[in-house]
Amino acid sequence: MNLSAIYNEYEFEFRGGQDVFQVDIYSGVRDYNAKLDFDFYPNPNHTLKFGANYTYHKLTPNVANGTDGTTVFSNNFIPTYAHDAAVYIQDDWKVNSRLSVNFGLRGTMFQQVGPYTSKIDSTVYTKGDPVKTYWNLEPQMSGKYSLSETASLKAGITFTNQYIHLVSNSTSSLPGDVWVPSTEIVKPQKGVQYALGYFKNLKDNTYETSIEVYYKDLKNQIDYGETYVPDIANDLESSFVFGSGKSYGMELFFKKSKGDLTGWIGYTLSKTERTFSDINDGQTFDATYDRRHDLSVVANYEMSKKWTFGSAFVYGTGNTFTPVKSIYFIEQGAVARYGERNSARIDPYHRLDLSATLTPQKQFEKEKDFKSTWTFSVYNIYNRKNTFFISYDFDTDIAGGTAKGTAYKVSLFPIIPSVTWNFKWR
């Protein structure tokens, strides 16, 4: 049995004169997991794997608690609870010396349970009462054909259902990702992925190379509607709209696995799009986490048994966001007008990390009961100020009917040196 948790917590404090108004906002997911996996070998050409897993979810929406002097405020949102279970079976079949295939089938069940009050007909469900149940089958098939001892082709198709969704608000100055379960309103997201790849090893498997292309067809995608305004007093389910999406791209990979100098280079060229009838007048737009270019370069050099050096460089296209285009007044209040959904991008992300690992001389001269290493590393060595989000500052003069807005790039994690001591004994 395992317990895992992912959550976000924000605390805000507003001051005006002698008054202080403080708000705590909490959202997240806590899971309790159990699983069983089995392997069965009926003959040398077949390997069967089967099993089951179960997860109990407790998903907390934007629960807010506030204080204003002696006044206490709470939006009284309660967590959503759900059972998430699956059984699976797959067969790795070696057809002949060149061809091998994998067939799999996964059956899934997701059930929302009370306490819950229906947003559709106001039915009240007590603790543990079934609210909405989803059943789905997820077949998958993949195959590998060896062209030679060092080259092969691989292809596959996979059907998936996603019951827990991460919804991103791209119009908020501070990124606000919220975990949302499938409910009577929110349907499971469905996807079909197609993949085809060519793999080739060189120079007695010293080098590994590959090129893969993929395409994903996505249904029941979830996002915030055009009129959504962040408000801790409103239930998020009423703010969601649903549509479709697609993702496609190409992945290149090169790896050197032998010698004093080892490492790998990976590059992905991809595009992820969304289409909602209620957003952008139905026109397709880039997803929040669409990343056109994604590059990773990792190298390790063993100078001696005593010293090993490492480096890692990453580069990625910046995330999309919805920019503020103008400011106008409604009933003496300033209102921001946003541009088209995800029509702008923050700056590209890149950084270089370096490390050196020292193994004391005595530890490899003879067998030791106690061993340790020292690692000296520098994160983001050239102190790149990568933009995390865009913050807006509005200066309005209601009496004069003027307003001015300034956008600021907010970055996190500058250059960070560190020293780590690792040890083990027997």
Side-chain angles (χ1 to χ4, degrees), residues 9-39:
E9 187 168 6
Y10 307 98
E11 180 175 318
F12 303 93
E13 184 175 278
F14 306 93
R15 293 182 179 271
Q18 299 299 317
D19 298 325
V20 178
F21 179 52
Q22 181 173 324
V23 179
D24 296 311
I25 301 177
Y26 171 89
S27 66
V29 54
R30 185 180 298 273
D31 293 338
Y32 301 87
N33 309 293
K35 66 177 183 177
L36 290 172
D37 298 296
F38 301 93
D39 294 327

Side-chain angles (χ1 to χ4, degrees), residues 4 17 28 49 65 129 167 207 213 231 248 307 310 423:
S4 60
K49 297 182 178 181
N65 297 289
D129 287 345
V167 188
Y207 303 99
V213 292
D231 188 344
Y248 50 90
W307 284 102
F423 58 89

